[in-house]
Each structure stands twice: as C-alpha cells, then as structure tokens.
C-alpha cells in the first residue's frame, strides 16, 4: 500500500512519499488524543466543518489564527468529525522545515482505529524544527479500510510564550522555589501548587521536568526521583550559581564598537603608537563619563571589543601601554557596577593580510599559539576580577575571503574543517583561561559558533567543551533586509518577525534546553531615518529573546548613519525613541 501527499509551503511544491512503515509507527495512542476541550489552547479558530480530503490539504497560517508573532508554537490541536466505525483515520499536519529530511518537510501523524463521531488530535511541534507561519492540515490514505474525508471543526494552537502563555526559562532544574538549591522544600512547594495552586512558584520552568510546558504529577514524580538517585541537587546544599542563573542578571548591553577593536588595513603599516588605534576608526577617546551615560540610559552590560595582534611583538607579547588602556576602560565599566565582556575581535585573517588566526588546518598551529598567548596574558592581568568580567574567546571566526565566509555549506569540506578548527580554538582559549590563576578557574566564558551565526548548520557544527560555566555567543542582525544589508525601512512583526522567532527557537533547542545559556552580543538595526520602526523592531526582538532567557547587546559604532545610540563627541544619547523601546522591552529581565 503506497501513500503520497502533495504539499505546498512557502511557494515550494514538495511531493513526499509516505511509506507504510511510517504509518505503522503511529498507533492509536492516548498521547495523540485528548479528552480535553480544545478551548484550553492559547489560540483557536473555528473552521465550521470545512472538509479535509486525502490529497487535498487545508492550508492555514498562524497569523490567520491570531497567534502572537512572539509566541513559540508547541502543539497543534485538531478537532474533527467523522464516522470512523470500522474504518481507519490518519490525520496529520505538516510544514516546510529547512534541514529536515530529504524534502525539507516536517510532518507528523498517527493512526486512529477507534470509532468516534468527534475527536481531538494533538500534534507536537519539535523545537528543533519550529513551525513557520504557513502549515497544512492533512488526511492520509489508508486503503479500503480508511475514510476519504473528515470535517474540521476547530484548530487550536498551544504556545510556550507570547500572549496568554509561557512557563518561563529554566535556570536550575528542580529549583522550584528559586532559592538556588534543589531539596525537599522544592518537592513541598510543587506538591502544594499541584494540590491547590495556592502557592506561587519561584520559577515554574524549573519544575517542568518532563519539558511539556505544563506542571503535573509527572513533574513531581521526576523531582522526587531525581533527589533520591542524585541526578538533581547535591544534598540540597549546592548554591553555586549556574550559567543560566548568571546570564539572567544581564539586562541589556551596549558595544563600545570601532574603538579598541580597530586595526590598520593589510596594505598599511601598523601604527607606531598603539594608543592611536583607539581613535583610528572613530575620533573620540573613551571616557568614564561615556560609560556613566550608558549606565544612566539603563544598560547594565558593556562589551569592549579588542583587537590584539597589531599591538604585540613577534613573540606574542602584548604592548604594556595597550594592555593598560584596555584595563582602564574595563575598570570604567566594572566601577559602575556593570558587567563587561572582553574579547579577541578583528584578529581573524591570514597573516599576509594582517591577521593572526585563521580557522583552517594549514594555519591552525599558528592560530592556537596566538589565542593561547592572548588569553594567557589577559587572564593574568584580570585574574582577580570577579564575575562582572566575562571573557569571549573569539569574534565571528570564519574563513575570510572564502565563498562560504558567511554562509556555511554543511557538506563542504572547507566548512567542516573550519568549524572543527573553531571548536579547537575555543577549547584552547578556555584551557589558557582555566590554567591561569585567580578567579579564572570559575569565570564565565562566552564562545561563538562559526561566524557567530545562529543558522542551523552553524549551530549543528558547534561543539562546546565540557564546562558548566560556558555561554554560547551569537550575532544576529535579523531580518537582514531591515536591520543590516537591505533597504527596507519598515518592520512588520507578523511577517518580518517570523525569521527572528525561528532562529531564537533554534537557539533554544540547540543550547538553552541543554542548560547552556545564550547571549546575543551583537544586534541592532541600521538608521534609515526610521526610528519609530526601529523602536517597534527592537521591542519585538528583545521581547522574543526574553521569552527564551536571552539577553541582547546593541552594536554601536559611533557612526550615526549606522547604529549610534551614544554620540560620543558630546556624550549625548541620541535616537531616544529606540533607546526607550529597548529599555521598556528589557525591563522584564532581572538585574
């Protein structure tokens, strides 16, 4: 018996062969049917008996159902009517999912053999293949024993976050009362909540141990079991801050761009006075008053991008004046009680072009020597700084000049090699940091994917070392046509926002659900004299990031045609409409 569906999504026509073996994998199963009322869904839409036929799917959009653009869809519910007496029903839903299977098509369905006039089916949306705006309801053939059509009564959508839903972000699994320990008091809190729901939970997400975005007796059982077998808690006395908890303190950040990260071009000699680099790409010397102004605006984190290669000798010894100046600026930030991110920035290129590391095999030995030398010296200088100072190993490491410089081809051998080299350079950097003295043994360290990109291939190629105090680093100016390279001056959350939601869902699946926090430490939208649109975009972007527990750091290059929020020439905040939107959206994050 052969089964075939024709599916259309995103303008792409896909024909997917449905093998019988796939159908036999979907038995009649309580996990796929529910006796609950579909009105429990976050969003519902009545279809009033619209007929769904084999090979004639019903095409819908999340927007038409009214799903909030910032919401993460976890389940699709389908209430339908059919006389199934003595017949088989195989409902399904599907959508285009880049990277999934041979046809980039995600589909889920199951076999219903019981007789019922009305039933509700529940389909889970996997976090690694988030649903786009467009999707389909389908009915699969089942031969002579099946039926050719059903009537759709209502479609329901369950969401993890967005309007009317959201259980939050996990910071410490099992820490129900959010006291930074997992013990019997968490069991009591969850039990009281389930019995009467009279007790508020410190962090409901920490209690969702089965990961289904609901709290029930299964979570209580898993919590008790975890305490008994030792997989949760450490005798109830573990109060060391997790990486997820640490990142929750970062509200929103700002980049001191085009400053300590400047370099001279490949065809020009390095500057004779290393301190001149600070004003090589922009005219203003950084002052404590500038950092004070950033704090007064509401930012609580400053990223200080630094390029090191042209400020060191042939033995990789960093110029003392340069290191002192970097430390002085870091101290501006730390003394204001803010978090500071310090990195290796524009040193990625082949040596003949003025670079100092390059992620391929032929340059790997030199590259590892460079990053090890830099991080050893940085770690020694800042050994006694507390966790307000965060180290970021590399900035957008990539094959500069390669055709895949920005866009990974997962099947390209050069790309595979580059991702492997970046993983090894991240590990070498971490080793240098951890082997140094002082607080570096427990310092939180950020690490990028290839090009710091959130694209699926980049995420899949990123393998972080086994260390509980790591943070994944991502840069994302999305959607590109509005935020960076295009000419679009307007932002429509219902359409443009889908790409933002999609890549953040992928970050959640790849890192956050595995207990690895994420910081987007470069984001922003180019100034096209469209501050009201940029403000709407910033609100949408940050609120979406908040729903996953991801803080964001605005890129400011001190050039008003691009991303400037602080005009450094007179230490004045500009584009305050955008700043206000950033702060209002970030207000939900703790400091």
């Amino acid at each position: 018996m052969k089964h075939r569906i024709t599916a259309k999504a995103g303008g792409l026509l896909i024909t997917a062969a449905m093998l019988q073996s796939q159908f036999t994998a979907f038995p009649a199963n309580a996990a796929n049917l529910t006796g609950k009322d579909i009105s429990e869904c976050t969003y519902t839409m009545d279809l009033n008996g619209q007929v769904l036929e084999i090979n004639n799917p019903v095409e819908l959009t999340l927007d038409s159902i009214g799903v909030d653009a910032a919401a993460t869809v976890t389940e699709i519910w389908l209430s339908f009517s059919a006389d199934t007496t003595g017949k088989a029903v195989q409902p399904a839903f599907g959508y285009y999912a880049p990277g999934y299977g041979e046809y980039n098509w995600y589909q889920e369905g199951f076999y219903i053999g019981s007789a019922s006039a009305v039933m509700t089916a529940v389909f889970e949306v996997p976090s690694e293949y988030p649903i786009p705006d467009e999707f389909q309801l389908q009915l699969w053939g089942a031969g002579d024993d099946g039926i050719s059509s059903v009537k759709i009564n209502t479609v329901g959508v369950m969401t993890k976050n967005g309007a009317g839903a959201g259980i939050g972000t996990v910071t410490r699994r099992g820490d129900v009362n959010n006291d930074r320990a997992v013990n019997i008091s968490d069991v009591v809190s969850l039990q009281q909540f389930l019995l009467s729901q009279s007790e508020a939970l410190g962090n409901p997400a920490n209690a969702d141990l089965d990961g289904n975005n609901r709290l029930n007796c299964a979570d209580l059982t898993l919590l008790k079991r975890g305490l008994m077998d030792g997989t949760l808690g450490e005798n109830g006395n573990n109060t060391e801050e997790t990486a997820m908890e640490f990142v929750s303190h970062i509200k929103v950040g700002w980049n001191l761009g085009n400053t300590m990260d400047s370099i001279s071009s490949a065809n020009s000699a390095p500057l004779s006075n290393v301190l001149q680099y600070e004003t090589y790409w922009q005219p203003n010397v950084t002052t404590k008053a500038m950092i004070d102004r950033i704090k007064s605006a509401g930012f609580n984190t400053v990223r200080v991008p630094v390029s090191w290669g042209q400020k060191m000798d042939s033995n990789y010894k960093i110029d003392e004046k340069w290191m002192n100046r970097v430390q002085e600026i870091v101290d501006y930030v730390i003394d204001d009680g803010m978090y500071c991110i310090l990195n290796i920035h524009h040193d990625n290129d082949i040596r003949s072009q003025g670079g100092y590391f390059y992620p391929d095999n032929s340059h790997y030995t030199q590259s590892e020597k460079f990053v090890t030398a830099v991080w050893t010296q940085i770690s020694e200088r800042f050994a006694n700084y507390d966790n307000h100072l965060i180290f970021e190993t590399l900035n957008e490491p990539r094959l500069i000049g390669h055709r895949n410089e920005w866009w990974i081809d997962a099947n390209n051998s050069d790309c595979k090699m580059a991702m492997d080299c970046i993983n090894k350079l991240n590990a070498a950097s971490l080793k240098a940091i951890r082997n140094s003295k002082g607080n570096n043994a427990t310092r939180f360290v950020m690490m990028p994917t290839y090009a710091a990109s959130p694209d699926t291939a980049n995420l899949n190629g990123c393998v972080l070392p086994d260390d509980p105090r790591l943070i994944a680093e991502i840069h994302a100016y999305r959607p590109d046509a509005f935020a960076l390279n295009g000419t679009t001056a307007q932002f429509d959350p219902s359409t443009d926002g889908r790409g933002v939601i999609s890549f953040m869902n992928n970050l959640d699946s790849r890192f956050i659900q595995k207990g690895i926090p994420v910081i987007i430490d470069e984001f922003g939208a180019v100034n096209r004299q469209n501050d009201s649109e940029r403000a709407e975009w910033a609100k949408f972007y940050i609120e979406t990031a908040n729903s996953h527990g991801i803080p964001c750091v605005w890129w400011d290059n001190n050039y008003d045609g691009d991303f400037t929020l602080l005009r450094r020439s007179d230490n004045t905040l500009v584009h305050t409409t955008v700043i206000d939107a950033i702060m209002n959206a970030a207000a939900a994050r703790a400091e």
Side-chain angles (χ1 to χ4, degrees), residues 92-169:
F93 86 107
Y95 54 87
Y96 181 71
Y100 185 84
E102 182 179 357
Y103 300 100
N104 287 326
W105 179 257
Y106 176 79
Q107 57 212 10
E108 183 62 79
F110 60 96
Y111 173 85
I112 301 173
S114 60
S116 177
V118 179
M119 61 186 71
T120 300
V122 178
F123 305 99
E124 293 187 2
V125 175
S127 57
E128 63 268 34
Y129 298 105
I131 189 170
D133 182 53
E134 297 176 342
F135 68 99
Q136 292 186 347
L137 305 179
Q138 306 164 356
L139 188 65
W140 293 345
D144 295 336
D145 296 329
I147 60 177
S148 60
S149 66
V150 297
K151 292 182 178 180
I152 307 298
N153 302 316
T154 309
V155 176
V157 178
M158 280 287 193
T159 62
K160 179 179 179 181
N161 37 54
I167 201 167
T169 301

Side-chain angles (χ1 to χ4, degrees), residues 169 241-255 299-304 338-343 387-396 443-449 451-454 459 462 464 469-477 503-504 506-508 510-513 515-524 541-542 544-546 548-555 589-590:
T169 301
E241 189 167 50
T242 67
M244 292 294 294
E245 289 168 332
F246 172 74
V247 166
S248 71
H249 304 317
I250 297 176
K251 178 182 175 184
V252 65
W254 176 86
N255 270 274
F299 297 94
N300 79 338
T301 301
V302 173
R303 181 172 180 246
V304 181
M338 295 196 287
Y339 295 92
C340 182
I341 300 170
L342 185 62
N343 76 350
N387 283 336
H388 279 80
L389 179 60
I390 307 163
F391 289 162
E392 173 195 315
T393 55
L394 303 168
N395 173 76
E396 298 179 358
R443 189 173 308 285
F444 290 100
V445 178
M446 297 170 60
M447 292 184 175
T449 61
S453 169
L459 298 181
C462 179
L464 299 181
R469 302 176 81 78
L470 298 185
I471 302 165
E473 171 212 347
I474 294 296
H475 296 174
Y477 300 83
F503 89 75
M504 290 194 189
N506 288 343
L507 293 177
D508 193 298
R510 178 64 181 83
F511 294 119
I512 293 171
Q513 291 185 21
I516 302 169
V518 176
I519 296 178
I520 299 175
D521 68 353
E522 281 191 27
F523 88 114
Y541 192 106
I542 293 175
T544 304
N546 285 346
H548 297 285
I550 301 173
C552 302
V553 184
W554 181 275
W555 177 256
R589 295 193 58 81

Side-chain angles (χ1 to χ4, degrees), residues 242 244 250 269 286 304 331 397 406 439 466 488 505 579-580 587 590:
T242 67
M244 292 294 294
I250 297 176
T286 307
V304 181
D331 287 345
W406 294 106
N439 294 324
D466 184 11
T488 302
N505 284 344
I579 294 175
D580 289 345

Side-chain angles (χ1 to χ4, degrees), residues 20-42:
Q20 183 174 0
S21 60
Q22 291 177 293
F23 289 104
T24 57
F26 302 127
N29 181 322
N32 296 112
L33 295 174
T34 180
K36 296 181 180 180
D37 193 318
I38 199 168
S39 64
E40 293 186 14
C41 289
T42 318

